[in-house]
């Protein structure tokens, strides 16, 4: 477990679930790359062309929400390391985190205003033919999208109510709440063992010590006034659930960029799988509902689907954020986690398929020239 040197059965089951998910990701890559249309989309520019404008990178709400969350994890890691390595008090660490978030938020707002003004100047006095073409959108498809969106919203609401009112399960051996309580009570980061209430006699593994989720949860508890048990067992699983839908929505956008009905159907299937998997330990649905605060759950439900969408759209900044965030919240092999494995596998598969297609096209051209030569001879 990421907060204890002892790994429980629950953690082994969750790690096995993450491994299965990684295998599923590799299978999805093969299917994705085997499609000529999707393959061409992957290796063309991931930019949308608009009339009167150059190429513009697609930037969606999912990038803001998930990218912002991953940046917050990175900022928490910086403050957490200050507490671990420099011996800062927990109050100072949380104040530093608040200052970091404030500075980044102000910078993001400033960049957003500048970017908006730049786009306005670039599009001044120019018509957008894409908007004119979309003016006659099929009303039946719009109604279907609205119905599916309503069903999806109702399903998500039921799942949130389940987290807020359901019974907590599979918490034997988990020390997240105890660790957060120790941080708040002792005003220090990893100086007192939450199991014994005394100072660590033999120290801790540095790779285990740098995981920052307890500091993030403690900061949320301090700033909101919520009890650590409510933050860990109620608030964070709800956030994880919502971010998972955002991540899968981004993946659906990459898979079905022009069909909103298919995207909503895709999300409905994900929601149904979450609900049906709530009774099967090791499945993503079970982990989200009963362990959404754990790093392995955040990796499986949020990081991996968002990573795949970034790889499909060639948004390598998001890929890097996913890899670094996993290293901050999950005990990996010196940062080499599942996200890095999936990224390497994606790049290798892409290179192999690219070479195969080049050879295939070259062979077809050679055969075509040979047939034309034979016809000329005859």
């Amino acid at each position: 477990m990421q907060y204890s040197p002892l790994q429980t059965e629950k953690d082994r089951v969750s790690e096995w679930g993450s491994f299965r998910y990684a295998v599923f990701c590799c299978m999805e890559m093969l299917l994705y790359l085997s499609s000529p249309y999707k393959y061409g989309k992957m290796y063309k520019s991931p930019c949308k062309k608009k009339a009167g404008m150059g190429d513009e990178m697609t930037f969606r709400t999912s990038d803001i929400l998930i990218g912002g969350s991953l940046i917050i994890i990175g900022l928490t890691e910086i403050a957490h390391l200050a507490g671990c390595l420099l011996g800062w008090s927990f109050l100072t660490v949380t104040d530093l985190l608040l200052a970091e978030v404030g500075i980044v938020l102000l910078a993001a707002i400033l960049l957003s205003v500048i970017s908006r003004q730049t786009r306005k100047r670039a599009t001044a006095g120019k018509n957008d033919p894409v908007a004119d073409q979309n003016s006659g959108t099929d009303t039946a498809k719009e109604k279907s999208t609205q119905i599916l969106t309503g069903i999806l919203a109702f399903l998500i609401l039921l799942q949130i109510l389940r987290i807020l009112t359901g019974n907590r399960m599979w918490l034997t051996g988990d020390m997240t709440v105890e660790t957060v309580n120790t941080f708040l009570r002792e005003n220090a980061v990893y100086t007192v063992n939450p199991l014994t209430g005394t100072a660590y006699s033999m120290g801790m593994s540095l790779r285990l010590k740098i995981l920052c989720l307890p500091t993030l949860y403690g900061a949320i508890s301090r700033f909101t006034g919520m009890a650590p048990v409510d933050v860990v067992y109620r608030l964070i699983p709800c956030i994880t659930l919502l971010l998972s839908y955002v991540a899968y929505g981004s993946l659906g956008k990459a898979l079905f960029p022009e069909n909103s009905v298919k995207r909503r159907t895709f999300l409905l299937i994900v929601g149904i799988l979450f609900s049906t998997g709530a009774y099967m330990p090791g499945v993503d649905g079970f982990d989200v509902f009963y362990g959404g605060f754990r790093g392995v759950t955040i990796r499986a439900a949020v990081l991996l689907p968002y990573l795949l969408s970034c790889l499909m759209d060639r948004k390598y900044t998001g890929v890097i954020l996913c890899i670094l965030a996993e290293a901050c919240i999950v005990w990996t092999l010196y940062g080499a986690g599942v996200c890095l494995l999936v990224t390497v596998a994606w790049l290798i598969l892409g290179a192999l398929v690219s070479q195969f297609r080049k050879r295939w096209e070259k062979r077809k051209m050679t055969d075509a020239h040979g047939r034309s030569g034979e016809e000329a001879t005859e």
Side-chain angles (χ1 to χ4, degrees):
M1 187 164 77
Q2 62 257 45
Y3 305 137
S4 171
L6 302 177
Q7 186 185 43
T8 63
E9 181 64 25
K10 176 177 65 174
D11 299 296
R12 286 191 288 270
V13 172
S14 295
E15 291 291 346
W16 169 240
S18 298
F19 174 76
R20 287 185 300 155
Y21 192 93
V23 174
F24 166 77
C25 292
C26 293
M27 294 176 61
E28 184 174 356
M29 291 177 210
L30 289 173
L31 292 175
Y32 184 86
L33 295 174
S34 63
S35 172
Y37 170 74
K38 292 293 183 183
Y39 176 86
K41 178 192 170 188
M42 172 186 171
Y43 283 95
K44 290 179 182 178
S45 174
C47 305
K48 291 184 177 179
K49 287 188 177 180
K50 296 186 178 181
M53 296 178 62
D55 289 344
E56 181 180 346
M57 292 295 295
T58 57
F59 193 72
R60 300 186 289 265
T61 305
S62 59
D63 299 314
I64 298 175
L65 294 176
I66 299 182
S69 301
L70 300 184
I71 290 174
I72 289 176
I73 289 176
L75 297 178
T76 304
E77 181 66 27
I78 295 174
H80 178 77
L81 290 177
C84 290
L85 304 180
L86 303 179
W88 290 12
S89 67
F90 185 72
L91 292 179
T92 305
V93 168
T94 54
D95 290 338
L96 174 61
L97 175 59
L98 181 62
E100 291 173 344
V101 173
I103 293 173
V104 171
L105 185 60
L106 290 176
I109 293 174
L110 181 61
L111 291 176
S112 177
V113 171
I114 296 174
S115 176
R116 180 173 300 180
Q117 293 297 327
T118 303
R119 287 198 301 268
K120 284 183 178 180
R121 295 193 190 98
T123 58
K126 297 180 180 179
N127 296 325
D128 189 357
V130 177
D132 298 335
Q133 294 174 4
N134 292 338
S135 59
T137 305
D138 188 6
T139 56
K141 182 178 291 187
E142 289 183 354
K143 290 182 179 179
S144 300
T145 302
Q146 292 174 359
I147 293 173
L148 291 174
T149 302
I151 297 173
L152 178 64
F154 181 70
L155 177 61
I156 295 174
L157 179 61
L158 291 179
Q159 291 174 341
I160 291 176
L161 291 176
R162 178 183 186 137
I163 293 175
L164 295 177
T165 60
N167 295 323
R168 298 188 291 271
M169 297 175 59
W170 271 42
L171 297 179
T172 303
D174 186 88
M175 295 190 302
T176 304
V177 173
E178 290 78 4
T179 303
V180 174
N181 280 323
T182 302
F183 286 1
L184 294 171
R185 184 178 62 252
E186 301 295 333
N187 192 23
V189 178
Y190 285 130
T191 58
V192 175
N193 190 333
L195 285 177
T196 62
T198 59
Y200 285 101
S201 57
M202 300 182 63
M204 291 180 60
S205 170
L206 181 61
R207 187 66 193 90
L208 181 67
K209 197 173 182 179
I210 64 175
L211 302 181
C212 66
L213 284 183
T215 298
L216 178 61
Y217 300 159
I220 294 175
S221 178
R222 180 198 169 195
F223 294 134
T224 61
M226 297 177 62
V229 65
D230 293 328
V231 171
V232 175
Y233 294 151
R234 301 303 184 207
L235 177 63
I236 298 302
C238 288
I239 295 176
T240 301
L241 176 67
L242 294 177
L243 287 180
S244 68
Y245 278 106
V246 175
Y248 278 105
S250 179
L251 181 59
K253 181 68 175 178
L255 292 172
F256 314 108
E258 304 298 335
N259 196 319
S260 59
V261 175
K262 289 185 179 180
R263 293 199 297 269
R264 297 298 186 277
T265 305
F266 176 73
L267 283 179
L268 269 177
I269 294 174
V270 171
I272 293 172
L273 291 177
F274 277 167
S275 297
T276 56
Y279 305 97
M280 294 180 284
V283 180
D284 289 346
F286 184 92
D287 290 336
V288 169
F289 289 129
Y290 303 118
F293 56 91
R294 303 173 63 239
V296 290
T297 304
I298 297 173
R299 175 180 62 189
V302 180
L303 296 185
L304 287 176
Y306 183 66
L307 175 73
L308 286 177
S309 69
C310 290
L311 288 171
M312 291 178 182
D313 290 337
R314 300 181 68 181
K315 296 180 179 178
Y316 295 120
T317 301
V319 173
I320 295 173
L321 286 176
C322 289
I323 295 174
L324 295 179
E326 182 188 8
C328 296
I329 64 177
V330 181
W331 192 351
T332 58
L333 181 61
Y334 300 102
V338 177
C339 289
L340 181 60
L341 173 64
V342 171
T343 302
V344 172
W346 178 275
L347 296 176
I348 292 175
L349 286 174
L352 292 177
V353 172
S354 177
Q355 292 296 324
F356 175 78
R357 287 180 64 87
K358 288 180 179 179
R359 292 183 180 180
W360 178 259
E361 292 174 358
K362 185 177 181 180
R363 181 179 299 178
K364 287 176 63 177
M365 292 178 62
T366 303
D367 294 341
H369 286 306
R371 285 194 298 268
S372 63
E374 292 177 357
E375 293 175 357
T377 302
E378 293 177 358

Short mmCIF file of all heavy atoms in Angstrom, two decimals, residues 130-182:
data_model
loop_
_atom_site.label_atom_id
_atom_site.label_comp_id
_atom_site.label_asym_id
_atom_site.label_seq_id
_atom_site.Cartn_x
_atom_site.Cartn_y
_atom_site.Cartn_z
N VAL A 130 -17.56 26.89 -40.86
CA VAL A 130 -17.93 25.70 -40.10
C VAL A 130 -19.21 25.95 -39.32
O VAL A 130 -20.09 25.11 -39.24
CB VAL A 130 -16.77 25.30 -39.16
CG1 VAL A 130 -17.18 24.11 -38.31
CG2 VAL A 130 -15.53 24.99 -39.97
N ALA A 131 -19.31 27.16 -38.73
CA ALA A 131 -20.52 27.48 -37.98
C ALA A 131 -21.72 27.54 -38.91
O ALA A 131 -22.83 27.15 -38.54
CB ALA A 131 -20.34 28.81 -37.25
N ASP A 132 -21.53 28.08 -40.16
CA ASP A 132 -22.63 28.14 -41.09
C ASP A 132 -23.09 26.75 -41.51
O ASP A 132 -24.28 26.50 -41.67
CB ASP A 132 -22.20 28.92 -42.33
CG ASP A 132 -21.84 30.37 -41.98
OD1 ASP A 132 -22.36 30.87 -40.97
OD2 ASP A 132 -21.04 30.97 -42.72
N GLN A 133 -22.15 25.83 -41.65
CA GLN A 133 -22.52 24.47 -42.01
C GLN A 133 -23.25 23.77 -40.88
O GLN A 133 -24.15 22.98 -41.10
CB GLN A 133 -21.27 23.66 -42.39
CG GLN A 133 -20.59 24.17 -43.66
CD GLN A 133 -19.29 23.45 -43.93
OE1 GLN A 133 -18.92 22.52 -43.20
NE2 GLN A 133 -18.59 23.88 -44.96
N ASN A 134 -22.88 24.05 -39.65
CA ASN A 134 -23.51 23.40 -38.50
C ASN A 134 -24.85 23.99 -38.14
O ASN A 134 -25.50 23.53 -37.20
CB ASN A 134 -22.57 23.49 -37.28
CG ASN A 134 -21.33 22.66 -37.47
OD1 ASN A 134 -21.31 21.72 -38.27
ND2 ASN A 134 -20.27 23.00 -36.74
N SER A 135 -25.24 25.09 -38.82
CA SER A 135 -26.52 25.71 -38.50
C SER A 135 -27.69 24.78 -38.81
O SER A 135 -28.76 24.90 -38.22
CB SER A 135 -26.67 27.03 -39.25
OG SER A 135 -26.59 26.79 -40.66
N GLY A 136 -27.49 23.86 -39.74
CA GLY A 136 -28.56 22.94 -40.08
C GLY A 136 -28.36 21.57 -39.47
O GLY A 136 -28.57 20.54 -40.12
N THR A 137 -27.93 21.53 -38.23
CA THR A 137 -27.66 20.26 -37.56
C THR A 137 -28.94 19.45 -37.42
O THR A 137 -30.01 19.99 -37.20
CB THR A 137 -27.08 20.53 -36.17
OG1 THR A 137 -25.93 21.35 -36.31
CG2 THR A 137 -26.65 19.22 -35.52
N ASP A 138 -28.80 18.16 -37.54
CA ASP A 138 -29.95 17.27 -37.44
C ASP A 138 -30.56 17.38 -36.05
O ASP A 138 -29.91 17.12 -35.04
CB ASP A 138 -29.49 15.84 -37.72
CG ASP A 138 -30.66 14.89 -37.83
OD1 ASP A 138 -31.81 15.36 -37.79
OD2 ASP A 138 -30.42 13.68 -37.95
N THR A 139 -31.85 17.76 -36.00
CA THR A 139 -32.52 17.93 -34.70
C THR A 139 -32.72 16.60 -34.00
O THR A 139 -32.72 16.53 -32.76
CB THR A 139 -33.87 18.62 -34.90
OG1 THR A 139 -34.66 17.86 -35.84
CG2 THR A 139 -33.69 20.03 -35.43
N ALA A 140 -32.89 15.52 -34.75
CA ALA A 140 -33.06 14.20 -34.12
C ALA A 140 -31.82 13.80 -33.35
O ALA A 140 -31.90 13.25 -32.25
CB ALA A 140 -33.38 13.17 -35.20
N LYS A 141 -30.65 14.07 -33.93
CA LYS A 141 -29.41 13.74 -33.22
C LYS A 141 -29.26 14.59 -31.97
O LYS A 141 -28.79 14.11 -30.94
CB LYS A 141 -28.22 13.96 -34.16
CG LYS A 141 -26.88 13.61 -33.53
CD LYS A 141 -25.74 13.79 -34.50
CE LYS A 141 -25.80 12.76 -35.60
NZ LYS A 141 -24.59 12.81 -36.47
N GLU A 142 -29.69 15.85 -32.04
CA GLU A 142 -29.63 16.71 -30.85
C GLU A 142 -30.53 16.18 -29.75
O GLU A 142 -30.16 16.16 -28.57
CB GLU A 142 -30.03 18.14 -31.23
CG GLU A 142 -29.00 18.88 -32.06
CD GLU A 142 -29.41 20.31 -32.34
OE1 GLU A 142 -30.55 20.67 -31.96
OE2 GLU A 142 -28.61 21.06 -32.91
N LYS A 143 -31.74 15.74 -30.11
CA LYS A 143 -32.65 15.20 -29.10
C LYS A 143 -32.09 13.93 -28.48
O LYS A 143 -32.17 13.73 -27.26
CB LYS A 143 -34.01 14.93 -29.73
CG LYS A 143 -34.78 16.19 -30.10
CD LYS A 143 -36.14 15.84 -30.68
CE LYS A 143 -36.91 17.13 -31.02
NZ LYS A 143 -38.26 16.81 -31.60
N SER A 144 -31.50 13.08 -29.31
CA SER A 144 -30.89 11.85 -28.78
C SER A 144 -29.76 12.17 -27.82
O SER A 144 -29.62 11.54 -26.76
CB SER A 144 -30.37 10.99 -29.94
OG SER A 144 -31.42 10.62 -30.81
N THR A 145 -28.95 13.16 -28.19
CA THR A 145 -27.85 13.56 -27.31
C THR A 145 -28.37 14.10 -25.99
O THR A 145 -27.83 13.78 -24.92
CB THR A 145 -26.98 14.62 -28.01
OG1 THR A 145 -26.49 14.10 -29.24
CG2 THR A 145 -25.81 15.02 -27.13
N GLN A 146 -29.43 14.90 -26.03
CA GLN A 146 -30.00 15.46 -24.81
C GLN A 146 -30.57 14.37 -23.91
O GLN A 146 -30.40 14.39 -22.69
CB GLN A 146 -31.08 16.48 -25.16
CG GLN A 146 -30.54 17.75 -25.81
CD GLN A 146 -31.63 18.67 -26.28
OE1 GLN A 146 -32.82 18.37 -26.13
NE2 GLN A 146 -31.26 19.81 -26.85
N ILE A 147 -31.25 13.39 -24.52
CA ILE A 147 -31.82 12.28 -23.72
C ILE A 147 -30.71 11.47 -23.07
O ILE A 147 -30.76 11.16 -21.87
CB ILE A 147 -32.70 11.40 -24.62
CG1 ILE A 147 -33.94 12.17 -25.07
CG2 ILE A 147 -33.11 10.13 -23.87
CD1 ILE A 147 -34.77 11.43 -26.09
N LEU A 148 -29.68 11.14 -23.84
CA LEU A 148 -28.56 10.37 -23.28
C LEU A 148 -27.84 11.16 -22.20
O LEU A 148 -27.40 10.59 -21.18
CB LEU A 148 -27.59 9.98 -24.40
CG LEU A 148 -28.10 8.96 -25.41
CD1 LEU A 148 -27.10 8.79 -26.55
CD2 LEU A 148 -28.38 7.62 -24.73
N THR A 149 -27.70 12.46 -22.39
CA THR A 149 -27.06 13.30 -21.37
C THR A 149 -27.86 13.31 -20.08
O THR A 149 -27.30 13.24 -18.98
CB THR A 149 -26.89 14.73 -21.90
OG1 THR A 149 -26.11 14.72 -23.11
CG2 THR A 149 -26.18 15.61 -20.87
N GLY A 150 -29.18 13.38 -20.20
CA GLY A 150 -30.03 13.35 -19.00
C GLY A 150 -29.92 12.03 -18.26
O GLY A 150 -29.83 11.99 -17.03
N ILE A 151 -29.93 10.92 -19.00
CA ILE A 151 -29.78 9.60 -18.36
C ILE A 151 -28.42 9.49 -17.69
O ILE A 151 -28.30 8.98 -16.56
CB ILE A 151 -29.97 8.49 -19.41
CG1 ILE A 151 -31.39 8.53 -19.99
CG2 ILE A 151 -29.68 7.13 -18.80
CD1 ILE A 151 -31.61 7.57 -21.14
N LEU A 152 -27.39 9.98 -18.37
CA LEU A 152 -26.04 9.92 -17.80
C LEU A 152 -25.95 10.76 -16.53
O LEU A 152 -25.36 10.33 -15.53
CB LEU A 152 -25.02 10.40 -18.84
CG LEU A 152 -23.57 10.45 -18.39
CD1 LEU A 152 -23.07 9.05 -18.07
CD2 LEU A 152 -22.69 11.08 -19.48
N ALA A 153 -26.53 11.97 -16.55
CA ALA A 153 -26.50 12.82 -15.36
C ALA A 153 -27.23 12.16 -14.19
O ALA A 153 -26.77 12.23 -13.04
CB ALA A 153 -27.13 14.18 -15.69
N PHE A 154 -28.36 11.51 -14.47
CA PHE A 154 -29.10 10.81 -13.41
C PHE A 154 -28.28 9.65 -12.84
O PHE A 154 -28.24 9.44 -11.62
CB PHE A 154 -30.43 10.30 -13.97
CG PHE A 154 -31.29 9.60 -12.96
CD1 PHE A 154 -31.91 10.31 -11.93
CD2 PHE A 154 -31.48 8.23 -13.03
CE1 PHE A 154 -32.71 9.66 -11.00
CE2 PHE A 154 -32.27 7.57 -12.09
CZ PHE A 154 -32.89 8.29 -11.08
N LEU A 155 -27.60 8.92 -13.71
CA LEU A 155 -26.76 7.81 -13.25
C LEU A 155 -25.61 8.31 -12.38
O LEU A 155 -25.31 7.71 -11.33
CB LEU A 155 -26.23 7.04 -14.46
CG LEU A 155 -25.27 5.87 -14.17
CD1 LEU A 155 -25.97 4.82 -13.34
CD2 LEU A 155 -24.75 5.28 -15.48
N ILE A 156 -24.97 9.40 -12.81
CA ILE A 156 -23.87 9.96 -12.02
C ILE A 156 -24.37 10.44 -10.66
O ILE A 156 -23.70 10.25 -9.64
CB ILE A 156 -23.18 11.10 -12.80
CG1 ILE A 156 -22.51 10.57 -14.06
CG2 ILE A 156 -22.15 11.81 -11.93
CD1 ILE A 156 -21.93 11.64 -14.94
N LEU A 157 -25.55 11.05 -10.63
CA LEU A 157 -26.12 11.51 -9.36
C LEU A 157 -26.37 10.34 -8.42
O LEU A 157 -26.06 10.42 -7.22
CB LEU A 157 -27.42 12.26 -9.63
CG LEU A 157 -28.17 12.79 -8.40
CD1 LEU A 157 -27.31 13.77 -7.63
CD2 LEU A 157 -29.49 13.43 -8.80
N LEU A 158 -26.90 9.24 -8.94
CA LEU A 158 -27.10 8.05 -8.10
C LEU A 158 -25.78 7.51 -7.57
O LEU A 158 -25.69 7.08 -6.40
CB LEU A 158 -27.82 6.98 -8.91
CG LEU A 158 -29.29 7.26 -9.29
CD1 LEU A 158 -29.85 6.09 -10.10
CD2 LEU A 158 -30.13 7.49 -8.04
N GLN A 159 -24.75 7.53 -8.40
CA GLN A 159 -23.46 7.02 -7.96
C GLN A 159 -22.85 7.92 -6.88
O GLN A 159 -22.23 7.43 -5.93
CB GLN A 159 -22.53 6.90 -9.17
CG GLN A 159 -22.94 5.81 -10.14
CD GLN A 159 -22.10 5.80 -11.39
OE1 GLN A 159 -21.43 6.77 -11.73
NE2 GLN A 159 -22.12 4.68 -12.12
N ILE A 160 -23.01 9.24 -7.02
CA ILE A 160 -22.51 10.15 -5.99
C ILE A 160 -23.25 9.92 -4.68
O ILE A 160 -22.64 9.90 -3.60
CB ILE A 160 -22.64 11.60 -6.47
CG1 ILE A 160 -21.66 11.88 -7.61
CG2 ILE A 160 -22.37 12.58 -5.32
CD1 ILE A 160 -21.78 13.27 -8.21
N LEU A 161 -24.57 9.75 -4.75
CA LEU A 161 -25.36 9.46 -3.54
C LEU A 161 -24.92 8.15 -2.91
O LEU A 161 -24.90 8.02 -1.68
CB LEU A 161 -26.84 9.42 -3.88
CG LEU A 161 -27.48 10.77 -4.26
CD1 LEU A 161 -28.94 10.58 -4.67
CD2 LEU A 161 -27.39 11.75 -3.09
N ARG A 162 -24.55 7.18 -3.73
CA ARG A 162 -24.07 5.91 -3.20
C ARG A 162 -22.78 6.11 -2.41
O ARG A 162 -22.58 5.51 -1.34
CB ARG A 162 -23.84 4.94 -4.36
CG ARG A 162 -23.30 3.60 -3.90
CD ARG A 162 -23.03 2.69 -5.08
NE ARG A 162 -22.64 1.38 -4.59
CZ ARG A 162 -23.08 0.25 -5.09
NH1 ARG A 162 -23.95 0.24 -6.08
NH2 ARG A 162 -22.66 -0.90 -4.61
N ILE A 163 -21.88 6.93 -2.94
CA ILE A 163 -20.63 7.18 -2.23
C ILE A 163 -20.89 7.92 -0.92
O ILE A 163 -20.30 7.61 0.12
CB ILE A 163 -19.67 7.98 -3.12
CG1 ILE A 163 -19.23 7.13 -4.31
CG2 ILE A 163 -18.44 8.44 -2.33
CD1 ILE A 163 -18.37 7.87 -5.32
N LEU A 164 -21.77 8.93 -0.97
CA LEU A 164 -22.02 9.76 0.22
C LEU A 164 -22.79 9.02 1.30
O LEU A 164 -22.64 9.34 2.49
CB LEU A 164 -22.79 11.02 -0.19
CG LEU A 164 -22.04 11.99 -1.12
CD1 LEU A 164 -22.93 13.16 -1.50
CD2 LEU A 164 -20.77 12.50 -0.46
N THR A 165 -23.63 8.06 0.93
CA THR A 165 -24.48 7.39 1.91
C THR A 165 -24.15 5.92 2.10
O THR A 165 -24.68 5.29 3.02
CB THR A 165 -25.95 7.50 1.49
OG1 THR A 165 -26.13 6.87 0.21
CG2 THR A 165 -26.37 8.95 1.39
N GLY A 166 -23.28 5.35 1.26
CA GLY A 166 -23.01 3.93 1.34
C GLY A 166 -22.06 3.58 2.48
O GLY A 166 -21.46 4.44 3.13
N ASN A 167 -21.98 2.28 2.72
CA ASN A 167 -21.08 1.78 3.77
C ASN A 167 -19.66 1.68 3.23
O ASN A 167 -19.44 1.34 2.06
CB ASN A 167 -21.54 0.41 4.24
CG ASN A 167 -22.89 0.47 4.91
OD1 ASN A 167 -23.19 1.43 5.62
ND2 ASN A 167 -23.71 -0.55 4.70
N ARG A 168 -18.70 1.98 4.07
CA ARG A 168 -17.29 1.87 3.68
C ARG A 168 -16.85 0.41 3.79
O ARG A 168 -17.20 -0.29 4.74
CB ARG A 168 -16.41 2.76 4.56
CG ARG A 168 -16.75 4.22 4.44
CD ARG A 168 -15.73 5.07 5.17
NE ARG A 168 -15.82 4.90 6.60
CZ ARG A 168 -16.61 5.63 7.38
NH1 ARG A 168 -17.38 6.54 6.86
NH2 ARG A 168 -16.62 5.44 8.68
N MET A 169 -16.08 -0.03 2.81
CA MET A 169 -15.67 -1.43 2.76
C MET A 169 -14.18 -1.51 2.48
O MET A 169 -13.57 -0.58 1.95
CB MET A 169 -16.43 -2.18 1.66
CG MET A 169 -17.92 -2.26 1.88
SD MET A 169 -18.77 -3.03 0.50
CE MET A 169 -17.98 -4.62 0.46
N TRP A 170 -13.62 -2.63 2.80
CA TRP A 170 -12.24 -2.97 2.47
C TRP A 170 -11.26 -1.90 2.92
O TRP A 170 -10.42 -1.45 2.17
CB TRP A 170 -12.11 -3.20 0.97
CG TRP A 170 -12.36 -4.61 0.59
CD1 TRP A 170 -13.34 -5.42 1.10
CD2 TRP A 170 -11.63 -5.40 -0.34
NE1 TRP A 170 -13.29 -6.64 0.54
CE2 TRP A 170 -12.24 -6.67 -0.36
CE3 TRP A 170 -10.55 -5.17 -1.16
CZ2 TRP A 170 -11.78 -7.70 -1.17
CZ3 TRP A 170 -10.10 -6.19 -1.97
CH2 TRP A 170 -10.71 -7.44 -1.97
N LEU A 171 -11.38 -1.52 4.17
CA LEU A 171 -10.45 -0.53 4.72
C LEU A 171 -9.48 -1.14 5.72
O LEU A 171 -8.73 -0.43 6.36
CB LEU A 171 -11.24 0.61 5.39
CG LEU A 171 -12.14 1.41 4.45
CD1 LEU A 171 -12.88 2.48 5.22
CD2 LEU A 171 -11.32 2.03 3.34
N THR A 172 -9.51 -2.46 5.87
CA THR A 172 -8.59 -3.11 6.78
C THR A 172 -7.15 -2.93 6.31
O THR A 172 -6.81 -3.26 5.18
CB THR A 172 -8.92 -4.62 6.86
OG1 THR A 172 -10.28 -4.78 7.26
CG2 THR A 172 -8.01 -5.30 7.87
N GLY A 173 -6.33 -2.39 7.18
CA GLY A 173 -4.93 -2.16 6.84
C GLY A 173 -4.66 -0.83 6.18
O GLY A 173 -3.51 -0.49 5.97
N ASP A 174 -5.71 -0.07 5.85
CA ASP A 174 -5.50 1.23 5.22
C ASP A 174 -5.26 2.28 6.29
O ASP A 174 -5.97 2.34 7.30
CB ASP A 174 -6.73 1.61 4.39
CG ASP A 174 -6.51 2.87 3.60
OD1 ASP A 174 -6.01 2.78 2.47
OD2 ASP A 174 -6.83 3.95 4.12
N MET A 175 -4.26 3.13 6.08
CA MET A 175 -3.88 4.12 7.08
C MET A 175 -3.95 5.54 6.55
O MET A 175 -3.32 6.43 7.10
CB MET A 175 -2.47 3.85 7.58
CG MET A 175 -2.30 2.54 8.32
SD MET A 175 -0.68 2.44 9.12
CE MET A 175 0.41 2.64 7.70
N THR A 176 -4.73 5.76 5.50
CA THR A 176 -4.78 7.11 4.92
C THR A 176 -5.33 8.11 5.91
O THR A 176 -4.75 9.18 6.14
CB THR A 176 -5.63 7.10 3.64
OG1 THR A 176 -5.10 6.13 2.74
CG2 THR A 176 -5.60 8.45 2.98
N VAL A 177 -6.49 7.80 6.51
CA VAL A 177 -7.10 8.72 7.46
C VAL A 177 -6.21 8.91 8.68
O VAL A 177 -6.04 10.03 9.18
CB VAL A 177 -8.49 8.21 7.88
CG1 VAL A 177 -9.08 9.07 8.99
CG2 VAL A 177 -9.45 8.22 6.69
N GLU A 178 -5.63 7.83 9.16
CA GLU A 178 -4.74 7.92 10.33
C GLU A 178 -3.51 8.78 10.01
O GLU A 178 -3.05 9.56 10.86
CB GLU A 178 -4.29 6.52 10.77
CG GLU A 178 -5.39 5.67 11.39
CD GLU A 178 -6.31 5.06 10.36
OE1 GLU A 178 -6.06 5.25 9.15
OE2 GLU A 178 -7.30 4.41 10.77
N THR A 179 -2.99 8.65 8.78
CA THR A 179 -1.83 9.45 8.40
C THR A 179 -2.19 10.93 8.33
O THR A 179 -1.44 11.79 8.81
CB THR A 179 -1.30 8.98 7.03
OG1 THR A 179 -0.96 7.59 7.11
CG2 THR A 179 -0.07 9.77 6.64
N VAL A 180 -3.35 11.24 7.74
CA VAL A 180 -3.79 12.64 7.66
C VAL A 180 -4.01 13.21 9.06
O VAL A 180 -3.61 14.35 9.36
CB VAL A 180 -5.06 12.76 6.80
CG1 VAL A 180 -5.60 14.18 6.84
CG2 VAL A 180 -4.78 12.33 5.37
N ASN A 181 -4.66 12.43 9.92
CA ASN A 181 -4.87 12.89 11.30
C ASN A 181 -3.55 13.15 12.02
O ASN A 181 -3.42 14.10 12.80
CB ASN A 181 -5.70 11.86 12.08
CG ASN A 181 -7.18 11.96 11.78
OD1 ASN A 181 -7.70 13.05 11.60
ND2 ASN A 181 -7.85 10.82 11.73
N THR A 182 -2.56 12.29 11.75
CA THR A 182 -1.24 12.47 12.37
C THR A 182 -0.58 13.75 11.88
O THR A 182 0.01 14.50 12.66
CB THR A 182 -0.35 11.26 12.07
OG1 THR A 182 -0.99 10.07 12.55
CG2 THR A 182 1.00 11.41 12.75
#
